[in-house]
Amino acid sequence: NLKYNEGMYSNLDKILKQGSENQLCLCTENDIHHYMKNNNIDSLSVICSFYRMEMIFIIDSKYRINNITDILNMINRKKREGKIFKLGILDEKHSSHFDAIKVLNCMNIDKNTEGFQIVEFPSMRELIHKFDNNEVDFIYLTTTSKNKYIIELLKKNFFNIVGLSGIMDNLFRANF
């Protein structure tokens, strides 16, 4: 029986709660590591598959943000102005959520950072929709380069895609 779940991270939780030895789920290496670190698991077998995932911020081009330093400067500017720079991320059912928290940690940002707010969404579709309707200022995703939602978004608007260069390598390696 093939079942679709809400996110790759939630796949692990569901398979372990069902208790069957003969189940298979898709998840990322970071999911396995995070789940095993936070749960006592002795009955999980792993098949490893490699595919390219990108860790990116997508930002409306009106902000003229081209790198990590520009993101940090915008948060500080919003703080000085008494405003909020809103980041949209996927919720805890998704691998991207945990990656986002780690990336923000490398940038010395968390939910308590002044001038900054994290808004969580239950699905990629809703995240992209809210971003497209200017309900969040930028989004973070760990995704493949062929993400259909991003491709459609880029067909109708201009956005800047910012990778993670600029985060100190030693901090990044310590978190991932």
Side-chain angles (χ1 to χ4, degrees):
N1 260 350
L2 183 61
K3 294 181 182 178
Y4 293 93
N5 290 322
E6 298 168 11
M8 284 196 281
Y9 190 81
S10 69
N11 288 341
L12 274 175
D13 197 42
K14 288 181 182 183
I15 202 169
L16 291 169
K17 286 181 179 172
Q18 291 174 355
S20 173
E21 294 178 13
N22 301 316
Q23 299 214 2
L24 179 68
C25 72
L26 296 175
C27 62
T28 68
E29 181 183 357
N30 287 342
D31 294 338
I32 293 282
H33 177 71
H34 184 266
Y35 203 91
M36 291 178 115
K37 187 171 85 173
N38 294 316
N39 297 281
N40 185 16
I41 299 171
D42 58 359
S43 62
L44 185 65
S45 298
V46 177
I47 299 171
C48 189
S49 175
F50 295 100
Y51 53 100
R52 186 174 174 92
M53 300 289 281
E54 307 292 340
M55 300 172 126
I56 58 172
F57 291 100
I58 302 175
I59 307 164
D60 192 311
S61 60
K62 72 181 178 188
Y63 290 111
R64 298 177 187 217
I65 291 176
N66 297 308
N67 56 49
I68 295 294
T69 302
D70 290 345
I71 292 172
L72 295 171
N73 289 339
M74 179 60 74
I75 292 168
N76 286 326
R77 186 172 122 205
K78 293 289 186 179
K79 175 184 168 184
R80 286 190 308 274
E81 295 171 351
K83 296 180 181 174
I84 303 289
F85 199 46
K86 292 182 187 175
L87 171 66
I89 65 172
L90 292 168
D91 67 17
E92 291 185 358
K93 295 179 200 118
H94 302 270
S95 308
S96 187
H97 171 86
F98 298 101
D99 291 343
I101 300 304
K102 289 178 184 177
V103 167
L104 293 171
N105 183 37
C106 291
M107 296 168 63
N108 202 25
I109 298 173
D110 64 24
K111 64 182 179 180
N112 299 316
T113 300
E114 290 184 59
F116 176 76
Q117 179 184 3
I118 298 172
V119 183
E120 296 182 12
F121 296 96
S123 69
M124 178 85 65
R125 180 182 309 231
E126 188 174 344
L127 172 67
I128 297 292
H129 175 74
K130 298 293 185 179
F131 175 63
D132 196 28
N133 289 324
N134 297 312
E135 294 180 42
V136 292
D137 299 307
F138 67 128
I139 59 176
Y140 171 86
L141 286 170
T142 301
T143 187
T144 64
S145 60
K146 296 186 180 195
N147 182 309
K148 67 181 182 180
Y149 298 106
I150 295 173
I151 291 168
E152 287 303 312
L153 184 69
L154 291 171
K155 284 181 182 177
K156 56 184 181 173
N157 294 307
F158 290 106
F159 296 101
N160 291 353
I161 297 177
V162 174
L164 301 185
S165 61
I167 294 177
M168 290 190 298
D169 284 343
N170 57 346
L171 277 176
F172 193 75
R173 285 191 187 111
N175 279 280
F176 287 93

